[in-house]
């Protein structure tokens, strides 16, 4: 990837250098998970999303050594705070579909209210794998990443979402990356994609 395609934000560069350092979840981080006004969601759905984001960190802290955990939930179902799938992963990834309930909701559901939330022990925002997973599963209404420090980012399809444009943009951003590319290179490619994804109808916050 050419240097001209990368964001020149010094703060982003510094974050990229620190991305591989695992952060252990604290009660303070869980308490600071903010109430986000998700684009197109009701106030009640926003409250549910906040609780689900906290649950991600609680489960990760108490049951998975602060490693990745993914919750899959259908906001259209009754009592979504007590009916969600849970997949436990490693420090660097989680197989969402390894959980039977999550797999059923993502693969079989025709609902537009299925949401996926997961935490990142080191990075602050989405990975390239997260983006691919979201784009390839159109029944997902939103994908959320919660850092182990309690910050929240989400991605949602906008009304002018264009799958072909997303694919083209994704390929442009990863051009030059190899399987053994340094983590900082991969992370900067991700930031470049996120900075431009609105051009293809992806809402990122």
């Amino acid at each position: 990837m050419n240097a001209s395609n990368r964001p020149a934000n010094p703060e982003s560069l510094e974050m990229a250098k620190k991305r591989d350092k695992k952060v252990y979840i604290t009660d303070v981080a869980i308490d600071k998970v903010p109430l986000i006004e998700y684009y197109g969601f009701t106030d009640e759905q926003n409250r549910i999303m906040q609780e689900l984001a906290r649950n991600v960190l609680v489960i990760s802290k108490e049951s998975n050594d602060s490693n990745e955990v993914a919750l899959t939930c259908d906001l259209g179902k009754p009592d979504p705070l007590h009916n969600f799938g849970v997949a436990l992963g490693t420090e660097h990834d989680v197989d969402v579909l390894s959980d039977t309930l999550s797999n059923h909701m993502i693969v079989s559901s025709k609902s537009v209210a299925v949401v996926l939330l997961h935490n990142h022990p080191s990075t602050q925002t989405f990975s390239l794998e997260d983006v691919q997973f979201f784009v390839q599963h159109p029944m997902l209404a939103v994908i959320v990443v919660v850092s182990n420090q309690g910050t929240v980012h989400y991605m949602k399809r906008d009304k002018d979402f264009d799958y072909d444009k997303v694919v083209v943009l994704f390929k442009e951003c990863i051009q030059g990356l190899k399987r053994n590319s340094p983590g900082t290179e991969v992370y900067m490619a991700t930031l470049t994609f996120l900075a431009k994804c609105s051009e293809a109808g992806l809402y990122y916050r």
Side-chain angles (χ1 to χ4, degrees), residues 94-127:
V94 58
D95 181 3
V96 179
L97 300 181
S98 65
D99 172 67
T100 302
L101 180 56
S102 299
N103 188 304
H104 175 74
M105 281 191 281
I106 292 175
V107 175
S108 304
S109 178
K110 294 182 180 179
S111 169
V112 295
V114 176
V115 299
L116 172 64
L117 305 92
H118 70 298
N119 66 305
H120 277 181
S122 51
T123 58
Q124 298 294 310
T125 189
F126 293 101
S127 66

Side-chain angles (χ1 to χ4, degrees), residues 126-138:
F126 293 101
S127 66
L128 293 175
E129 290 78 12
D130 293 335
V131 173
Q132 284 183 304
F133 189 85
F134 179 62
V135 172
Q136 291 171 357
H137 293 86

Side-chain angles (χ1 to χ4, degrees), residues 136-147:
Q136 291 171 357
H137 293 86
M139 69 292 300
L140 288 173
V142 64
I143 184 171
V144 182
V145 62
V146 188
S147 81

Side-chain angles (χ1 to χ4, degrees), residues 67-193:
N67 291 327
E68 287 204 35
V69 168
L71 301 189
T72 306
C73 173
D74 189 338
L75 292 182
K77 299 293 185 181
D79 200 12
L81 285 174
H82 295 91
N83 293 284
F84 51 78
V86 180
L88 304 182
T90 67
E91 182 178 344
H92 298 292
D93 61 66
V94 58
D95 181 3
V96 179
L97 300 181
S98 65
D99 172 67
T100 302
L101 180 56
S102 299
N103 188 304
H104 175 74
M105 281 191 281
I106 292 175
V107 175
S108 304
S109 178
K110 294 182 180 179
S111 169
V112 295
V114 176
V115 299
L116 172 64
L117 305 92
H118 70 298
N119 66 305
H120 277 181
S122 51
T123 58
Q124 298 294 310
T125 189
F126 293 101
S127 66
L128 293 175
E129 290 78 12
D130 293 335
V131 173
Q132 284 183 304
F133 189 85
F134 179 62
V135 172
Q136 291 171 357
H137 293 86
M139 69 292 300
L140 288 173
V142 64
I143 184 171
V144 182
V145 62
V146 188
S147 81
N148 280 15
Q149 294 175 315
T151 58
V152 177
H153 293 281
Y154 77 93
M155 184 176 293
K156 199 172 186 291
R157 293 172 182 80
D158 213 338
K159 59 183 181 297
D160 57 349
F161 171 76
D162 189 315
Y163 176 83
D164 292 332
K165 285 184 178 180
V166 170
V167 172
V168 170
L169 176 60
F170 190 87
K171 289 181 178 179
E172 288 178 354
C173 292
I174 65 172
Q175 185 178 3
L177 289 180
K178 300 177 181 178
R179 186 177 297 274
N180 61 346
S181 291
T184 52
E185 292 276 345
V186 177
Y187 188 57
M188 297 309 292
T190 307
L191 295 182
T192 300
F193 176 86

Side-chain angles (χ1 to χ4, degrees), residues 41-56:
F41 280 20
T42 65
D43 289 344
E44 177 62 15
Q45 288 174 330
N46 291 332
R47 185 189 66 79
I48 291 172
M49 293 295 289
Q50 181 186 33
E51 287 304 310
L52 288 171
R54 286 175 174 162
N55 283 340
V56 167

